[in-house]
Amino acid sequence: MASMHDARTVSPRSRRLTPGPSGLPRGQVTEIQRSRMLAAASEAVAEVGYARMTIAQVIGRARVSRKTFYDVFTDREDCFLAAFDQAISRARLVATEAYENESSWRDGLRAALAALLTFMDEHPALARLCLVEALAAGDAVLERRAQVLDELAEVVDRGRFERNAARNPAPLTAEGVVGGIVAVLHARLVEDCSEPLSDLLGALMGMIVLPYLGARAASGELSRPLPERRRARRTRRAVRSKDPLDDLNMRLTYRTVRVLSVIGEQPGASNRQIAEDSGIVDQGQISKLLNRLARLTLVENLGEGQERGAANAWHLTARGAQVERATHPR
């Protein structure tokens, strides 16, 4: 069994992503490379902003060639748009699930907004990408951003059909409410405020319900308790400065570190791919290890593995990427 020192100093050997009889299917190679480039673009934007993000930074981080980049993306903006779409898809999934679990418009919106704010607290780089850096991108990104805001406004405007609606607001009300909320969140992200965005839930909900349900309902939102935060969460600034190996609640063996490294190198990899590249023969063992890492929020399955016959697609979470980097300093 390797020691913690061994786990920190082992340098994994990257598997060559070569299509053909002796390698992976060409489509799978392309998807893995695309996932790497999207992750690399998100990291580059988080560090230098969209205005200073370059194709060289993306391909250098993703360990792909410039030709591979242009085989997948038209240009830098096209790559950023794909990263924006990926982040929006993840946020939409979180919000939709929360909204649909409630029986009323008001409770559904509160649950969805709470889920979104928590998502942004846990993924501040993605929040900045969508709410701050997207404004510096080109027309295609701005058009997609406008579509997302229209989608949110449509959900907000369902308030006029509530049984206890107090008034009939103007047609542009929902658009103005969404714009105001986005402006507040943009300001907090630009200021790099240390307080969690989830603390804004009551105030933002007050903005939403006021034109539809009246002042009493808006005041009630301010006094409603915030959802209980998970024990491990701190302010966003504290999370960034915290040693990712603290409170990990598991011993990092060579095998665990190898699995994290493989997922970092091959975002979207299946159980079988991870097992092969990690040297784990027993599929039961790799399933147990991946499930444990998921419970520790180090990895997440973004595939369709829950459906019969469909493959898993494992990715590192933000914390998982921090742990992987801490155990494999480059």
Side-chain angles (χ1 to χ4, degrees), residues 302-323:
L302 301 182
E304 302 296 333
Q306 294 79 5
E307 299 180 5
R308 183 181 295 274
N312 291 322
W314 292 98
H315 296 254
L316 295 179
T317 63
R319 189 185 184 198
Q322 291 175 340
V323 170

Side-chain angles (χ1 to χ4, degrees), residues 93 152 309:
L93 182 64
L152 294 174

Side-chain angles (χ1 to χ4, degrees), residues 173-196:
T173 297
E175 185 178 337
V177 169
V178 170
I181 290 173
V182 169
V184 170
L185 296 176
H186 177 276
R188 295 300 189 278
L189 291 168
V190 169
E191 293 168 3
D192 198 21
C193 179
S194 62
E195 295 302 315

